[in-house]
Each structure stands twice: as structure tokens, then as C-alpha cells.
């Protein structure tokens, strides 16, 4: 195994590329560097004959809780660096020519939702949940979430999740069609391993054509979503509401938004 000091572990074995967010003390919050590491790993193995499937998961009690608001990658004045890295990582998951299993081992929040839903088969522990918490700090979903969530559960439920920052427990996410399956926490690791190994031993060309056909039919707005979200997010990052939202987040209090640009 090779360990990425930026918060991503990668390994290849038994036909599987395993990508593991490894910042458990930060609940696997991501930075531009760790997001680019996801894209680098997938792009570098896209044509590797030894890789028949990939698994994206997290270490500890979270899958990924979004961008690290306390990191240098969210330097001020606001930068597009993290947004661009998130878009690149999501696009790399979508473009990977073999099945990608999103193994959500705990909370998936913020861009963690985008990363999970970009995978072809997204499964979760019973105790996991999905949360688009952006409006809590005066921001909007990014990483393609506005397309990925709506493509799975429809406009009304997607807007409820995004506008109200609704926490969606994994069993409800399954019932809504957001994810493919839910496993008991105690059985999760073995269940994911069985699923991933099955995909790795399957008909890779059929999987590739099927994945691309379904994604091309349902995610036709993904590229446009990246562009719309990037513009909106950069405007919001420069707003007074984000200043207040970030301060409230760091001070662990309720935000008082003004609506002033």
C-alpha cells in the first residue's frame, strides 16, 4: 500500500483499486490536494489491465464530511482551487472505465455527497447519512451535486435536501433511490468486499458500456452543473453571508444571515 500524506491511501490488489480518505481526526474532510489525489489515482489507473474495479471509502467513523473549512486550501480571498479539484475528482470517478463502488462507511456531507454519488454503485452502513449542509454557511452545493442528487431522487427531493440542509439517513436514502444498497454496520466491510470482488471478476467491457450508457442518459447536465456551481460558489464565497456562516461554524453557534452580497 502507498499512503498519500495528503489524506488519501491508495492500493491495488485482487483486481481492485482502493482509494481511502485517511484523515479520521478531521472526519475525512478534504482539501484541494486530497481531491486532486483522487483524480490522479483514477486517471493513472484508467488503462491498467490489473485494475477491474475501484472502491472509494473512508477511514474511521466518516466517509467524507466535505471541504476542510479550517485548511489553507480555503485561503482568503476565496479561491477556486478547491472547487476545481472537487469537479476534477467527480469527473474522474464518472470517466473511470470500470465500475467504481462508493463505500459510505459513515457521514457523507458537502462535497462528500458528490464524491459518493459520482460512483456507479453507492452503498452505505445503516448508521450513515447524507447531508448537503452548504446553506448552513451561506453557500450552495458544488462538486456536481446539483446534477447528481437531482438525477437520483428528482427535483423536489433534491431541493429539499439542498435548501433545508436535510440530513438523509442511509435507509431513507435507499428508499428514495439516492443509493444502491444499505448494509448493517457490522457486515459492511465484508459486504463491500464481496460486491467489489464480484465487479472485478465480471465482464469489464459490458460494465464499461453499461456505465457509460446510463450516465450519459442521466448525467447530461453534469458538466454544466460544474460551471454553474463554480460561478455561484465563488460569488457566495465572497459574500457577507459566508463570512458570517464560516464564523458561526467555527464558533459553534447559529448563523445570522443578512442576505447582503
Amino acid at each position: 500500500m502507498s499512503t498519500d500524506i495528503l489524506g488519501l491511501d491508495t492500493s491495488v490488489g485482487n483486481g481492485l483499486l482502493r482509494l481511502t480518505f485517511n484523515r479520521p481526526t478531521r472526519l475525512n474532510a478534504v482539501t484541494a490536494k486530497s481531491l486532486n489525489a483522487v483524480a490522479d489515482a483514477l486517471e493513472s489507473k484508467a488503462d491498467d489491465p490489473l485494475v477491474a474495479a475501484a472502491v472509494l471509502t473512508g477511514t474511521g467513523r466518516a466517509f467524507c464530511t466535505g471541504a476542510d473549512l479550517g485548511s489553507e486550501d480555503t485561503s482568503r480571498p476565496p479561491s477556486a482551487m478547491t472547487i476545481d479539484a472537487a469537479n476534477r475528482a467527480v469527473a474522474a470517478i464518472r470517466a473511470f472505465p470500470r465500475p467504481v463502488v462508493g463505500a459510505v462507511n459513515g457521514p457523507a456531507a458537502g462535497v462528500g455527497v458528490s464524491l459518493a454519488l459520482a460512483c456507479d454503485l453507492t452503498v452505505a452502513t445503516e448508521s450513515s447519512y447524507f447531508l448537503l449542509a452548504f446553506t448552513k454557511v451561506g453557500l450552495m452545493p458544488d462538486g456536481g451535486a446539483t446534477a447528481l442528487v437531482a438525477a437520483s431522487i428528482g427535483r423536489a427531493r433534491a431541493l429539499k435536501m439542498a435548501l433545508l440542509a436535510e440530513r438523509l439517513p442511509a435507509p431513507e436514502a435507499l428508499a428514495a433511490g439516492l443509493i444502491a444498497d444499505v448494509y448493517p454496520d457490522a457486515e459492511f466491510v465484508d459486504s463491500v468486499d464481496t460486491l467489489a470482488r464480484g465487479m472485478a471478476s465480471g465482464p469489464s467491457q459490458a460494465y464499461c458500456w453499461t456505465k457509460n450508457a446510463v450516465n450519459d442518459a442521466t448525467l447530461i447536465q453534469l458538466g454544466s452543473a460544474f460551471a454553474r456551481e463554480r460561478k455561484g460558489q465563488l460569488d457566495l464565497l465572497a459574500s457577507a453571508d459566508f463570512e458570517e456562516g464560516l464564523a458561526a461554524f467555527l464558533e459553534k453557534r447559529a448563523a445570522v444571515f443578512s442576505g447582503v452580497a
Side-chain angles (χ1 to χ4, degrees), residues 150-203:
S152 299
I153 59 176
R155 174 177 176 271
R157 194 65 181 270
L159 280 170
K160 185 182 179 186
M161 254 188 99
L163 292 176
L164 302 183
E166 176 194 44
R167 178 184 293 198
L168 196 62
E172 292 183 30
L174 175 63
L178 188 69
I179 59 176
D181 213 343
V182 172
Y183 302 133
D185 288 39
E187 300 172 12
F188 186 70
V189 172
D190 289 341
S191 297
V192 169
D193 189 62
T194 298
L195 175 64
R197 287 176 183 269
M199 299 305 295
S201 63

Side-chain angles (χ1 to χ4, degrees), residues 206-251:
Y207 287 158
C208 180
W209 280 96
T210 301
K211 162 181 176 162
N212 288 335
V214 172
N215 286 333
D216 284 348
T218 58
L219 295 177
I220 55 176
Q221 285 292 317
L222 185 58
S224 297
F226 288 150
R228 287 190 294 264
E229 293 167 354
R230 187 181 192 277
K231 182 182 185 307
Q233 201 72 302
L234 289 177
D235 284 349
L236 291 168
L237 281 165
S239 71
D241 273 352
F242 174 64
E243 293 281 344
E244 165 61 10
L246 180 59
F249 173 79
L250 296 175
E251 295 166 14

Side-chain angles (χ1 to χ4, degrees), residues 42-248:
L42 289 166
E43 290 168 1
S44 69
K45 297 298 182 183
D47 298 318
D48 189 335
L50 298 180
V51 174
V55 178
L56 179 66
T57 192
T59 296
R61 57 192 180 93
F63 171 73
C64 171
T65 54
D68 190 344
L69 294 179
S71 80
E72 63 181 10
D73 284 14
T74 52
S75 58
R76 317 273 281 277
S79 166
M81 182 168 52
T82 304
I83 298 171
D84 290 340
N87 291 348
R88 182 180 170 227
V90 168
I93 295 170
R94 160 65 187 89
F96 194 67
R98 263 86 73 197
V100 181
V101 176
V104 179
N105 57 298
V111 76
V113 174
S114 299
L115 293 163
L117 299 187
C119 297
D120 304 300
L121 287 173
T122 304
V123 298
T125 60
E126 287 182 334
S127 64
S128 297
Y129 62 82
F130 297 81
L131 175 64
L132 294 176
F134 295 92
T135 56
K136 293 290 188 181
V137 292
L139 296 177
M140 67 176 289
D142 57 20
T146 56
L148 291 161
V149 176
S152 299
I153 59 176
R155 174 177 176 271
R157 194 65 181 270
L159 280 170
K160 185 182 179 186
M161 254 188 99
L163 292 176
L164 302 183
E166 176 194 44
R167 178 184 293 198
L168 196 62
E172 292 183 30
L174 175 63
L178 188 69
I179 59 176
D181 213 343
V182 172
Y183 302 133
D185 288 39
E187 300 172 12
F188 186 70
V189 172
D190 289 341
S191 297
V192 169
D193 189 62
T194 298
L195 175 64
R197 287 176 183 269
M199 299 305 295
S201 63
S204 59
Q205 286 299 308
Y207 287 158
C208 180
W209 280 96
T210 301
K211 162 181 176 162
N212 288 335
V214 172
N215 286 333
D216 284 348
T218 58
L219 295 177
I220 55 176
Q221 285 292 317
L222 185 58
S224 297
F226 288 150
R228 287 190 294 264
E229 293 167 354
R230 187 181 192 277
K231 182 182 185 307
Q233 201 72 302
L234 289 177
D235 284 349
L236 291 168
L237 281 165
S239 71
D241 273 352
F242 174 64
E243 293 281 344
E244 165 61 10
L246 180 59

